[in-house]
Amino acid sequence: MFRLRAICPFSWRVFHFRPFSCEPLIRQMDQCTDEEQVFNLIEKNKAILSEKQVGYAFNTLWQFQKQKTSLFKSVECIRDHPQFLTLYNLTTKKMEFMNDDNLVNVLYITQQFAVEAHDPLVEALVTEAWRRLERFDINVLSKFSSCLADQHLNFSPLMGKIADIVNRNLETIQDLRSLSVLMVSISSLISQRFQDQLVNKTELLFDTIDSSQVNIARRIVQFLRNIKYSYYPLLERCNKVFLSHVNDLELESISKILSLYHFLQFHSFEFVLMAKKRLTEMIPQLDRPASFVKLFVALGPMAGPEEKKQLESTILLMSEELTSQQALAVIGAMEEMESRNSRLIKKIASILHKHLDIYKPTELLKITKALIFLHFQSKELFVKLKELLHSYLKVSVKPSEISNLVCAISMLPSAHLDEVGISRIEAVLPQCDLNDLNGFATSVLRWIQYDHMHLNSTGKQLKLLQKLDHYGHQSLQKCNNLNLLWEELKSLKGDWFAQSLLEETIATLQRLVDEINYTNVAGIASFISRTNYLSTLLLDRIASVVLQQIEKIHPFAVFAIILPFSIMNYDPPQRNEFFGTCIQHLNSYLTLLDPLMLVFLGFSLATLEYFPEDLLKTIFNIKFLDRLDSQLELLCSSLNKRVQFRLMELNRAVCLECPEYQIPWFHDRFCKQYYNKDIGSMNGTQQQISKMLAEVLGGNNCVKASVLTPYYHMIDFECILDKRKKPLPYGNHNTTLGKLPEMHWESNTQIVGSRLPPGAERIALEFLDLRAFCRNIPHLKGKSAMKKRHLEILGYRVIQIPHFEWNSMALSTKDARMDYLREHIFGEGKS
């Protein structure tokens, strides 16, 4: 035998001599009741363990670990056990004999037991797996890709090789579970075309999975988040899976799904409502900081007053045990919750202060934003924060990181950027995208404002601002891909962008107008809505794409498409066909859309004098309003008030413009509460107009200021002329500024001719400032146009005084302005 062994060493190694079958030992492992028994078996049989038994031992240990709750998990105890080292050494010797599944499974389990990525065994397992990569089946390949992702090797050549294998074999893959794992792992490396192919393949395979496969659905949503693609058809199908199993979801899953939805701007009222109920039930059940912080972050922003109080009091009790990352998560959630718990704010700030040295630049920005928003004040903390930010700035080379650091410094009290800081910004300008440039400009504008207030020189900042303008224009002029441009534009906002780059941006969009299609039309429309810039070329293209490709556009995107037309009061050439197509596409989804989205949609259409009956009957329905009330409880106070006000405005528009629908006015109490507060004082222009009106009309008692009409429109000034065009005095009813205006009509729903002498007319005078018009041309925006219609329905003759007329050279003297008022009120010029 030994002679044969000497002659054929290779064969002897491959056909390993085993004194008995491995099955009895595997059966013994199956009968073990804890890890210690498994380790005893390993110790007794280490000399004869086969590669299959080694793999089975790893698997058995991991199964025991998975059965434990996080409280009792003892990964370190297993990893540090003497017999784990035995397994470690045996794996090193036998890995080349392991089959593919066993090899990758051992790699996966060693990582779960917190063996470091740079450990020789892990490196050897990865190398062996790489050697076999082409022959892996889809299940083994997906698990291996997950192992690499856990080692943060998402951008490695090895992951690129896996992406190539998936690309070559995509047509034959039929297992969505494995494919979903691979999609998440390779998402950082794939092209737009490959992304689309994976999305299409996922849609084809989705119906093949069991509806209980929550993890597959979650990975699909994770993939969409990774590639920054809010693809509604897939999100909707995944959401149905989550909704059907929400009662089985654990804190980790709910928290993850909510986070993904937030990033993708996917709104599912039903899921959020059910998640809130499930999370609220967990409040008394969680007593460990790690779990409770996750609950605090997930539930806090949508919690009601009582739940918020419970969350804040509990986290305060646990605060001494919080780690640096947990404290960071808590302060971010408190900002989102708009917390005013000063004791908790102070406590979390002290923990952040203690760990300030270990935070990354992006985390320091998050801390700065949160503390400023929460009105926290601590000279000592802010001084240390400023020192750290400046020290990072001196060595940082990444544009996005430098932008974050500069932004954080600019937000701090008494902030100032020295020569080093300015030079760091200037050094990276050629590498910056529009978001980085916008971040720098916003920060520089803060410094200029601060220096103006303190009479400091602003020369260097102004020169830097000019350079930012130059690079911004240069970036836009070079752009030749609409989708790449949209990626940069989607989050842009602020004064610098609006003042310096908006014209160039619109010109670039117009140059690329033919690239607007069903995939990006909602995004481009959303951007235009934020700009208040009326480009008929772009809006006509949007309308054309919708009419030609409506079947490819998801109903969830319709509101974003309609919004710019509503805001800027623009009717495309095929107005009725365009709006009719949008509404018809929405009809089957009316019960699926978020309540607040329907309210905003209804209001947007109302500004355009478009009142689809099905939509309005859906909104003004007891069941819908109950759902809306439930959703309002989940929103922050500012958004809550905005939604309620929009519903009131829609209710008012329908009552005034579509009385045939017989929808009742039910916002009387809301309006009385809303307007039952100080209305503030007039601005300088309004005071000027008020005095001139008193002169023109013959006295203060002939004009009313800050008047509430029926249905609660607020108008700047009101006067009444009799049938001979003579002003009628109000007597003692003039409104005192700063108090709730008196509604002097008989009824808030009475419309024409209320308490007026025969032939008299009621006149409303409105001063229209910049906000009433589109940014680029003097075109009246939707809300101002709708208000004019409503006032006319209420019996007013409406005189609108545009700011550009009142402040023009033609009206530069008092006499000219007096003549202007006389002409508009009486229809005459000079008296």
Side-chain angles (χ1 to χ4, degrees):
M1 184 180 77
F2 290 106
R3 221 177 282 120
L4 179 64
R5 186 175 180 178
I7 295 168
C8 308
F10 176 78
S11 301
W12 188 266
R13 187 163 67 91
V14 174
F15 301 103
H16 210 47
F17 175 72
R18 297 183 180 88
F20 58 87
S21 167
C22 63
E23 295 304 322
L25 189 53
I26 287 176
R27 283 199 294 272
Q28 289 180 59
M29 289 186 200
D30 284 336
Q31 293 166 7
C32 292
T33 57
D34 59 34
E35 296 95 325
E36 202 57 49
Q37 291 182 8
V38 177
F39 283 135
N40 287 340
L41 278 176
I42 292 167
E43 185 178 15
K44 292 175 184 175
N45 298 279
K46 59 186 174 185
I48 59 170
L49 281 176
S50 68
E51 68 278 1
K52 182 177 179 181
Q53 291 163 340
V54 168
Y56 203 85
F58 270 111
N59 202 53
T60 306
L61 290 170
W62 180 235
Q63 292 307 315
F64 281 127
Q65 202 64 30
K66 285 201 298 184
Q67 291 167 12
K68 300 179 180 181
T69 66
S70 56
L71 182 63
F72 298 105
K73 278 195 175 181
S74 49
V75 165
E76 290 81 7
C77 293
I78 300 300
R79 187 190 60 200
D80 297 337
H81 195 285
Q83 296 313 313
F84 189 83
L85 182 60
T86 302
L87 271 183
Y88 179 106
N89 293 329
L90 286 168
T91 304
T92 304
K93 293 175 184 176
K94 297 177 181 290
M95 70 174 69
E96 62 184 293
F97 303 114
M98 292 179 174
N99 64 36
D100 298 342
D101 187 44
N102 203 7
L103 177 81
V104 173
N105 197 49
V106 168
L107 171 62
Y108 172 78
I109 293 170
T110 55
Q111 289 183 191
Q112 301 311 304
F113 283 124
V115 178
E116 297 289 346
H118 55 75
D119 185 276
L121 174 61
V122 174
E123 290 179 346
L125 287 166
V126 169
T127 303
E128 179 64 22
W130 192 344
R131 191 174 63 80
R132 307 181 189 188
L133 199 60
E134 287 288 350
R135 77 185 198 203
F136 281 171
D137 66 32
I138 187 69
N139 293 317
V140 174
L141 191 67
S142 68
K143 181 172 272 192
F144 182 51
S145 74
S146 179
C147 293
L148 295 179
D150 288 344
Q151 294 183 34
H152 307 293
L153 294 174
N154 305 72
F155 294 94
S156 65
L158 182 49
M159 193 69 87
K161 183 67 176 173
I162 292 173
D164 178 58
I165 292 170
V166 176
N167 188 31
R168 284 188 276 116
N169 295 281
L170 188 58
E171 285 188 15
T172 62
I173 296 174
Q174 298 300 318
D175 178 9
L176 187 54
R177 187 201 67 78
S178 298
L179 180 61
S180 65
V181 174
L182 285 162
M183 285 161 58
V184 172
S185 299
I186 67 176
S187 56
S188 302
L189 296 172
I190 57 180
S191 66
Q192 178 73 53
R193 180 173 168 275
F194 192 11
Q195 290 173 10
D196 294 339
Q197 288 177 325
L198 288 171
V199 168
N200 293 337
K201 184 70 175 182
T202 303
E203 284 193 283
L204 288 173
L205 295 179
F206 202 94
D207 291 331
T208 66
I209 65 168
D210 190 292
S211 63
S212 64
Q213 297 296 322
V214 171
N215 286 336
I216 295 177
R218 183 180 53 75
R219 283 193 292 268
I220 291 168
V221 179
Q222 178 72 59
F223 169 71
L224 293 173
R225 182 253 179 263
N226 288 359
I227 64 172
K228 301 176 183 177
Y229 185 20
S230 297
Y231 186 62
Y232 290 125
L234 265 183
L235 288 169
E236 196 182 350
R237 294 171 83 172
C238 292
N239 191 57
K240 287 178 181 176
V241 174
F242 300 145
L243 286 173
S244 60
H245 296 281
V246 72
N247 290 327
D248 302 322
L249 294 177
E250 297 299 325
L251 171 61
E252 183 76 33
S253 294
I254 295 174
S255 175
K256 184 68 174 176
I257 293 166
L258 288 172
S259 173
L260 294 172
Y261 279 3
H262 179 74
F263 181 89
L264 291 166
Q265 294 293 290
F266 178 73
H267 306 285
S268 171
F269 162 63
E270 283 78 10
F271 180 78
V272 172
L273 196 63
M274 294 171 78
K276 181 191 174 186
K277 180 176 178 292
R278 182 102 172 86
L279 292 171
T280 303
E281 291 167 356
M282 295 181 189
I283 294 177
Q285 300 169 8
L286 302 174
D287 56 2
R288 294 177 65 246
S291 301
F292 199 85
V293 166
K294 284 183 183 175
L295 178 67
F296 187 90
V297 171
L299 179 59
M302 57 182 173
E306 283 304 312
E307 293 99 347
K308 195 175 287 188
K309 191 175 178 181
Q310 275 184 282
L311 289 169
E312 290 182 336
S313 60
T314 305
I315 207 76
L316 186 61
L317 291 172
M318 295 180 175
S319 58
E320 292 295 338
E321 303 172 62
L322 296 181
T323 65
S324 59
Q325 287 302 308
Q326 288 165 355
L328 180 65
V330 168
I331 201 71
M334 289 175 71
E335 179 186 8
E336 206 173 337
M337 292 160 65
E338 300 176 1
S339 175
R340 290 295 175 262
N341 187 324
S342 56
R343 189 179 170 200
L344 180 60
I345 293 169
K346 189 175 180 180
K347 185 63 186 175
I348 299 301
S350 70
I351 299 168
L352 295 168
H353 193 175
K354 184 170 67 176
H355 297 291
L356 217 50
D357 292 319
I358 65 173
Y359 288 117
K360 299 173 185 174
T362 51
E363 293 169 335
L364 292 176
L365 174 60
K366 185 177 180 180
I367 290 168
T368 306
K369 281 182 174 177
L371 293 178
I372 297 295
F373 178 84
L374 295 170
H375 306 295
F376 175 76
Q377 294 181 339
S378 167
K379 185 178 179 181
E380 186 184 355
L381 190 154
F382 285 140
V383 166
K384 186 175 180 182
L385 196 51
K386 192 189 300 184
E387 289 172 358
L388 277 172
L389 291 166
H390 277 286
S391 65
Y392 273 123
L393 186 59
K394 288 176 183 176
V395 297
S396 181
V397 293
K398 295 180 182 177
S400 58
E401 187 172 272
I402 293 173
S403 179
N404 286 335
L405 290 166
V406 169
C407 179
I409 293 169
S410 73
M411 296 174 75
L412 292 172
S414 305
H416 180 70
L417 196 64
D418 56 17
E419 290 282 350
V420 175
I422 291 176
S423 65
R424 298 304 296 154
I425 295 174
E426 291 177 335
V428 296
L429 286 183
Q431 307 166 46
C432 289
D433 62 17
L434 291 176
N435 280 294
D436 296 330
L437 293 173
N438 191 53
F440 286 134
T442 303
S443 303
V444 171
L445 286 170
R446 282 198 198 105
W447 280 310
I448 291 173
Q449 186 179 18
Y450 175 82
D451 287 341
H452 271 311
M453 288 169 58
H454 294 82
L455 304 177
N456 297 330
S457 172
T458 59
K460 291 177 181 176
Q461 289 94 321
L462 290 170
K463 284 182 180 177
L464 181 55
L465 208 56
Q466 288 174 348
K467 290 183 180 179
L468 290 165
D469 289 354
H470 167 74
Y471 281 103
H473 281 85
Q474 190 179 75
S475 175
L476 287 165
Q477 288 160 6
K478 288 180 179 178
C479 182
N480 57 11
N481 184 298
L482 183 61
N483 288 330
L484 293 178
L485 175 62
W486 164 237
E487 281 301 315
E488 294 191 44
L489 292 180
K490 64 171 66 172
S491 57
L492 278 187
K493 55 186 176 182
D495 293 339
W496 175 75
F497 173 74
Q499 292 167 11
S500 300
L501 291 189
L502 184 55
E503 290 275 353
E504 190 70 50
T505 302
I506 296 295
T508 305
L509 289 173
Q510 290 174 339
R511 176 163 51 84
L512 303 172
V513 68
D514 291 338
E515 293 183 34
I516 298 178
N517 57 40
Y518 73 93
T519 64
N520 56 32
V521 65
I524 301 301
S526 178
F527 170 75
I528 294 171
S529 299
R530 299 201 310 268
T531 66
N532 289 324
Y533 192 106
L534 179 56
S535 166
T536 57
L537 176 66
L538 291 175
L539 291 181
D540 288 349
R541 172 64 182 180
I542 287 169
S544 174
V545 167
V546 169
L547 288 171
Q548 293 169 19
Q549 302 180 312
I550 188 65
E551 294 305 321
K552 296 179 180 178
I553 298 170
H554 197 278
F556 287 1
V558 167
F559 169 64
I561 290 168
I562 288 174
L563 192 57
F565 296 90
S566 165
I567 289 174
M568 284 173 279
N569 188 31
Y570 178 71
D571 288 336
Q574 297 167 290
R575 176 191 191 274
N576 290 335
E577 187 183 355
F578 169 63
F579 293 126
T581 298
C582 288
I583 296 307
Q584 188 178 358
H585 194 52
L586 262 179
N587 278 340
S588 60
Y589 271 77
L590 290 180
T591 57
L592 300 175
L593 283 169
D594 262 15
L596 72 86
M597 195 61 68
L598 276 185
V599 170
F600 287 137
L601 176 65
F603 174 76
S604 294
L605 290 167
T607 62
L608 292 157
E609 297 182 81
Y610 201 87
F611 296 91
E613 189 171 1
D614 287 345
L615 174 63
L616 294 172
K617 288 188 174 178
T618 299
I619 293 173
F620 294 105
N621 173 285
I622 296 297
K623 287 185 179 178
F624 174 87
L625 294 174
D626 283 343
R627 288 180 70 224
L628 181 62
D629 283 341
S630 299
Q631 187 172 24
L632 290 175
E633 294 175 7
L634 308 176
L635 306 178
C636 65
S637 59
S638 55
L639 182 55
N640 184 313
K641 289 172 185 173
R642 186 174 160 221
V643 175
Q644 290 189 66
F645 198 78
R646 281 288 182 267
L647 181 65
M648 181 277 289
E649 291 180 303
L650 177 59
N651 187 197
R652 174 171 64 197
V654 175
C655 288
L656 286 171
E657 300 191 61
C658 298
E660 67 274 14
Y661 288 167
Q662 297 185 328
I663 290 171
W665 167 251
F666 56 91
H667 278 89
D668 214 52
R669 183 189 299 176
F670 170 81
C671 289
K672 284 176 180 174
Q673 291 173 346
Y674 183 85
Y675 288 106
N676 190 23
K677 57 186 177 183
D678 287 353
I679 59 170
S681 58
M682 291 184 184
N683 61 37
T685 302
Q686 287 170 326
Q687 288 177 3
Q688 188 182 58
I689 294 172
S690 179
K691 290 176 183 176
M692 290 186 184
L693 281 172
E695 288 187 49
V696 168
L697 295 168
N700 286 325
N701 62 340
C702 291
V703 60
K704 267 184 171 289
S706 302
V707 177
L708 271 180
T709 73
Y711 293 101
Y712 296 89
H713 270 302
M714 175 78 76
I715 54 178
D716 293 340
F717 306 102
E718 181 192 276
C719 65
I720 300 172
L721 301 184
D722 66 15
K723 62 183 179 182
R724 292 184 298 276
K725 297 272 187 186
K726 289 189 177 180
L728 293 177
Y730 284 98
N732 297 321
H733 295 292
N734 210 340
T735 302
T736 304
L737 286 174
K739 294 184 179 178
L740 179 67
E742 179 186 351
M743 193 175 304
H744 53 276
W745 296 24
E746 288 177 356
S747 162
N748 66 316
T749 56
Q750 204 167 342
I751 297 182
V752 180
S754 213
R755 299 181 66 182
L756 287 182
E761 68 173 345
R762 203 183 297 270
I763 299 174
L765 293 101
E766 289 271 279
F767 176 73
L768 302 181
D769 62 14
L770 278 166
R771 294 169 296 177
F773 298 94
C774 296
R775 183 183 293 273
N776 55 319
I777 56 174
H779 178 76
L780 199 62
K781 287 166 63 178
K783 283 192 70 175
S784 297
M786 180 167 70
K787 183 176 181 180
K788 184 174 187 289
R789 292 198 309 269
H790 289 180
L791 293 176
E792 288 171 345
I793 292 169
L794 288 166
Y796 281 99
R797 175 159 66 91
V798 181
I799 299 171
Q800 293 181 323
I801 306 172
H803 68 94
F804 51 83
E805 288 186 4
W806 187 255
N807 297 318
S808 66
M809 287 298 292
L811 300 184
S812 58
T813 65
K814 180 181 176 182
D815 287 344
R817 286 174 171 170
M818 294 280 280
D819 287 342
Y820 177 90
L821 292 174
R822 286 193 192 96
E823 181 181 350
H824 282 79
I825 295 170
F826 303 113
E828 62 186 45
K830 295 179 181 180
S831 58

